[in-house]
């Protein structure tokens, strides 16, 4: 499980996250918690555009879900 999380985080930071996915005021102050929230968001699928994670999706529902994860 940790290896999978590590790979997901590595891919996330290597490929970069969409710039508009999280607004600056929504970023968690604790870097470890922000990293964890990003990893969770990368794993959760968007209910609107099911082939994307909520971190990748531009759908309003995905944005709401990212805020809930945080």
């Amino acid at each position: 499980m940790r290896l999978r999380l590590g790979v997901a985080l590595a891919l996330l930071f290597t490929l970069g996250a969409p710039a508009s996915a999280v607004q600056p005021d929504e970023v968690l102050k604790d870097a470890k918690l922000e990293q964890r929230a990003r990893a969770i968001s990368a794993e959760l699928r968007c209910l609107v555009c099911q082939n994307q994670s909520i971190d990748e999706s531009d759908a309003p529902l995905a944005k709401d879900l990212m805020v809930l994860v945080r």
Side-chain angles (χ1 to χ4, degrees):
M1 182 69 173
R2 287 185 181 205
L3 178 61
R4 185 175 180 189
L5 178 61
V7 170
L9 285 174
L11 284 174
L12 179 66
F13 291 113
T14 302
L15 300 176
S20 63
V22 178
Q23 300 301 318
D25 61 334
E26 297 169 344
V27 175
L28 297 170
K29 293 184 191 326
D30 184 333
K32 286 186 178 184
L33 289 177
E34 177 62 26
Q35 201 173 30
R36 187 171 182 210
R38 287 285 183 151
I40 292 169
S41 295
E43 292 291 322
L44 295 174
R45 298 285 115 199
C46 176
L47 298 169
V48 176
C49 41
Q50 297 170 355
N51 62 335
Q52 291 182 318
S53 70
I54 63 171
D55 200 42
E56 300 167 326
S57 175
D58 290 329
L61 177 61
K63 173 137 177 65
D64 292 344
L65 291 172
M66 281 191 290
V67 170
L68 286 173
V69 165
R70 280 176 169 66

